[in-house]
Amino acid sequence: MKWEMFLFVDNINVYENFLTPKGCKRYISMMPNKKEGFLGTRLLINDDPIVEGVKNFIKKRKGLNLKLGTAELCIWHQNRESELHIHNEHGRQNTQYNSIIYLNKNFDGGEFYTGDGQTIEPEVGMLIHFDGSKIWHGIKKILNHDRYSIIFFWKK
């Protein structure tokens, strides 16, 4: 893992180059080829070493002792999007923080956005971290190809 830059964008922590392109390709190769699910295809990776890596990275920078809910390797398929939401219902009542690592960039659209007008363009290897129980967030429509990411749901 490579950690270089930290940006703070109104309560969204953005860390560029958290994961190398080679590491991103390794995670992409772990995904099954079939498409399933309403928004995309998911693979639980709760026991993967990346969980401890992100947990320790955030603890060092933010002083947070995160407890994992789930870690999911995700493919958001073309034409999918996620409307603005916070994690307070639909099985996510116990989620407080979220972290996302973006694994590819060969798609259009799919930007992370917030209720207060922030937009973050996914970059390969970028990690973002935020309070998903307070910050309204979503994903803009993916216009072509699929968007790969790792999503971490951290418990309250």
Side-chain angles (χ1 to χ4, degrees):
M1 289 180 218
K2 181 180 176 184
W3 305 302
E4 288 184 359
M5 180 175 277
F6 164 75
L7 303 170
F8 187 76
V9 186
D10 293 336
N11 298 316
I12 308 289
N13 297 282
V14 179
Y15 306 93
E16 295 179 339
N17 302 307
F18 176 81
L19 194 59
T20 65
K22 183 178 178 180
C24 292
K25 287 178 184 175
R26 184 176 77 78
Y27 282 103
I28 289 171
S29 73
M30 293 170 58
M31 286 300 293
N33 289 327
K34 61 183 178 179
K35 291 188 177 186
E36 55 190 39
F38 173 65
L39 294 174
T41 303
R42 299 185 181 324
L43 177 68
L44 285 178
I45 58 167
N46 291 352
D47 296 325
D48 191 274
I50 193 82
V51 174
E52 284 301 311
V54 171
K55 181 178 175 179
N56 292 334
F57 183 81
I58 299 298
K59 182 176 183 178
K60 184 176 180 182
R61 278 144 186 85
K62 302 296 293 175
L64 298 173
N65 290 311
L66 300 173
K67 293 181 183 178
L68 184 66
T70 61
E72 303 174 0
L73 198 54
C74 300
I75 303 173
W76 285 81
H77 300 302
Q78 181 178 335
N79 296 320
R80 300 292 191 226
E81 63 189 308
S82 174
E83 294 183 4
L84 285 173
H85 63 280
I86 56 174
H87 296 274
N88 63 349
E89 55 185 31
H90 305 298
R92 296 282 181 212
Q93 299 89 324
N94 293 322
T95 298
Q96 180 168 5
Y97 294 104
N98 294 93
S99 302
I100 303 170
I101 299 174
Y102 300 104
L103 302 176
N104 71 323
K105 187 54 190 131
N106 60 336
F107 58 90
D108 292 313
E111 299 92 348
F112 175 91
Y113 72 103
T114 65
D116 64 357
Q118 298 176 71
T119 300
I120 296 174
E121 179 87 20
E123 294 294 334
V124 174
M126 176 188 283
L127 167 70
I128 66 171
H129 176 78
F130 60 99
D131 187 334
S133 70
K134 294 181 181 174
I135 296 174
W136 286 84
H137 60 282
I139 297 172
K140 292 183 179 181
K141 187 175 185 176
I142 299 159
L143 304 175
N144 58 33
H145 303 290
D146 292 332
R147 176 183 176 267
Y148 289 78
S149 59
I150 303 172
I151 303 175
F152 304 84
F153 297 94
W154 306 103
K155 294 179 183 179
K156 290 183 180 178

